[in-house]
Amino acid sequence: MGVRGFRFLWAGQAVSAVGDQFFTIAVSLRVIEVGGDAGDVGLVIGGRMLATVLFALLGGVWADRVPRRWAMTAADGFRLAAITVVVLGAFDTATLSLAVMTFLVGSGEAFFRPAYGGLVPSLVPEDRLLSANVWRSGMESAAAVVGPALGGLLVATAGTRVAFAVNAASFAVSLLCVLAVTEPPMQQPEARSSVIRETREGLSAVRRVRWASALLAMTAVQTMFVVAPHMVLLPIITQEKFSGAPSYGLVLAMFSVSGLIGTIVIGRVRLKRPGTSAMIFNALFTTVPLVLLAPFSLWWLVGGYVIAGLAMMPCNALLHTALQRQFPPELLGRVSSVDWLCSLALLPIGLACTGPLADALGRTTVLAAAAVVQLTTSLLVLLVPGVRDFHQNGQPVGEYAEVSKG
């Protein structure tokens, strides 16, 4: 990228993203070590998700109130402290205590992510914003491949406590990298409103931009009806049809590798209609429920996930870039939090309902419905004005953002 601040930020997040993978593996296995069952694992992991849903909007307000570098530093320090307590042995025996710890980690994440989403556009020139988001998506895809492999190996050889220690160290690295970033000053209003009012301002800003609100609503629906069934049924199907954990890991690894390739390619292509391209990419995730519906062979399954990865990661990069260009800097923290919340809020409901629905209606019905939802919502949203070009009121996104500041 050639932008010093973004380089530091990206490097810190690359280390932290791998550490997050260590955390997920370590906390799941730690629950089992202390005598927990699958339900206890769900409770502990769910603590993190619950915190992110509860505090995402508040994190967005905070990211727009204070320098985002400060917000990120505080969030990393908070998570570092929570993990250090585990390393010191305070949570050795109680599943509930582990759930509290994951809740604290999720709370820190809820304040970090909106600030990160708002900081990136201030560190890179507008014409390189897509490239920055491509690097971000590529880093997350690479971490999803490398992290589980290294985390599983570390837990197997050194134990969960060492894995937690490495995760804590990753937050320390992230914190130091954030401190090395010089954040441009952001214009602040003369008088602050209440937290509730500023939250409503963020939600209203997204609602007023029809293409943005339509896409985020689509994301929420697809998360509940498509992503959740994939998360629940993929491990079950690979266990029943193939070799279990190795096959499951292979499928997810290839999904992430293909996502990395897709983001590299999209960063080198100039698209005339980025919104149309993004929705076509999004529609290709339909291959996931289709191959799960008819898992003829492991390589058939891998092929479907490779296509989905090649498409979805570029789609995410294009959407993040469009949102960052559309809204003025003083709203980006709240907009990022709304974006993130739409990706998470309905996921717990989808995860809870997939199993009972599959038992009552059959997996075929659930997966067929998922395929229909993914394909139809991806195409129908193109009918909303502004989606095809990611612009509002006939103006390019960047120009609209400038008008919004006035």
Side-chain angles (χ1 to χ4, degrees):
M1 289 289 300
V3 181
R4 181 179 180 275
F6 180 78
R7 284 178 172 177
F8 277 114
L9 189 63
W10 184 89
Q13 284 309 288
V15 174
S16 182
V18 174
D20 283 343
Q21 300 293 331
F22 279 41
F23 176 81
T24 301
I25 291 173
V27 76
S28 300
L29 295 179
R30 187 60 188 165
V31 173
I32 296 172
E33 287 177 359
V34 299
D37 56 17
D40 294 321
V41 173
L43 172 66
V44 170
I45 295 177
R48 183 178 184 180
M49 187 179 299
L50 175 62
T52 55
V53 171
L54 288 177
F55 298 123
L57 294 179
L58 181 60
V61 172
W62 182 250
D64 287 338
R65 282 191 167 209
V66 302
R68 284 155 186 158
R69 178 171 165 268
W70 293 4
M72 295 165 67
T73 301
D76 271 341
F78 183 79
R79 291 184 288 180
L80 172 60
I83 299 295
T84 300
V85 172
V86 179
V87 176
L88 295 177
F91 290 150
D92 272 355
T93 58
T95 297
L96 182 59
S97 295
L98 286 169
V100 171
M101 182 270 296
T102 58
F103 183 87
L104 294 176
V105 171
S107 300
E109 188 174 9
F111 284 85
F112 185 95
R113 278 183 172 262
Y116 179 83
L119 180 60
V120 170
S122 69
L123 298 179
V124 297
E126 193 278 336
D127 62 345
R128 304 178 77 175
L129 188 54
L130 175 58
S131 179
N133 285 311
V134 164
W135 276 81
R136 174 187 177 183
S137 295
M139 169 264 292
E140 291 172 350
S141 296
V145 177
V146 175
L150 294 180
L153 179 63
L154 184 63
V155 170
T157 57
T160 55
R161 192 186 300 276
V162 174
F164 281 128
V166 172
N167 181 222
S170 74
F171 284 127
V173 171
S174 174
L175 191 155
L176 291 174
C177 288
V178 171
L179 289 175
V181 174
T182 300
E183 180 181 0
M186 183 174 64
Q187 183 178 358
Q188 296 288 347
E190 295 181 1
R192 278 291 180 190
S193 304
S194 67
V195 170
I196 294 177
R197 182 167 182 174
E198 291 191 11
T199 300
R200 291 172 60 187
E201 287 174 357
L203 293 170
S204 296
V206 173
R207 187 175 64 250
R208 286 195 299 270
V209 180
R210 293 179 62 186
W211 71 259
S213 56
L215 289 179
L216 295 184
M218 178 202 72
T219 298
V221 170
Q222 291 178 352
T223 297
M224 180 176 177
F225 291 101
V226 186
V227 175
H230 134 73
M231 294 177 66
V232 172
L233 296 178
L234 175 61
I236 295 174
I237 290 172
T238 52
Q239 181 66 42
E240 292 177 351
K241 301 290 185 180
F242 309 112
S243 58
S247 298
Y248 177 59
L250 174 64
V251 171
L252 292 183
M254 293 307 296
F255 174 77
S256 298
V257 169
S258 64
L260 175 59
I261 295 172
T263 53
I264 293 173
V265 172
I266 204 64
R268 299 176 179 273
V269 177
R270 185 174 295 276
L271 302 171
K272 292 184 178 180
R273 290 187 176 272
T276 300
S277 299
M279 290 307 98
I280 292 174
F281 294 151
N282 192 65
L284 289 175
F285 194 80
T286 306
T287 59
V288 165
L290 288 179
V291 295
L292 290 174
L293 186 62
F296 299 121
S297 71
L298 177 59
W299 294 112
W300 168 261
L301 203 64
V302 167
Y305 273 81
V306 165
I307 293 172
L310 282 169
M312 282 304 299
M313 299 307 176
C315 174
N316 292 339
L318 289 169
L319 179 56
H320 289 150
T321 302
L323 291 173
Q324 289 166 345
R325 287 173 172 167
Q326 174 72 85
F327 295 93
E330 61 269 19
L331 280 173
L332 281 180
R334 281 166 283 182
V335 171
S336 296
S337 69
V338 174
D339 176 20
W340 189 37
L341 184 62
C342 287
S343 301
L344 289 176
L346 297 183
L347 183 58
I349 299 175
L351 293 173
C353 293
T354 295
L357 285 175
D359 292 338
L361 305 176
R363 292 181 197 169
T364 299
T365 301
V366 171
L367 290 169
V372 170
V373 168
Q374 184 71 28
L375 182 61
T376 56
T377 54
S378 298
L379 299 180
L380 285 175
V381 78
L382 289 170
L383 300 176
V384 177
V387 167
R388 296 188 179 190
D389 295 309
F390 285 149
H391 70 71
Q392 177 84 346
N393 296 336
Q395 296 171 320
V397 172
E399 293 179 16
Y400 178 73
E402 293 298 323
V403 171
S404 298
K405 296 178 189 178

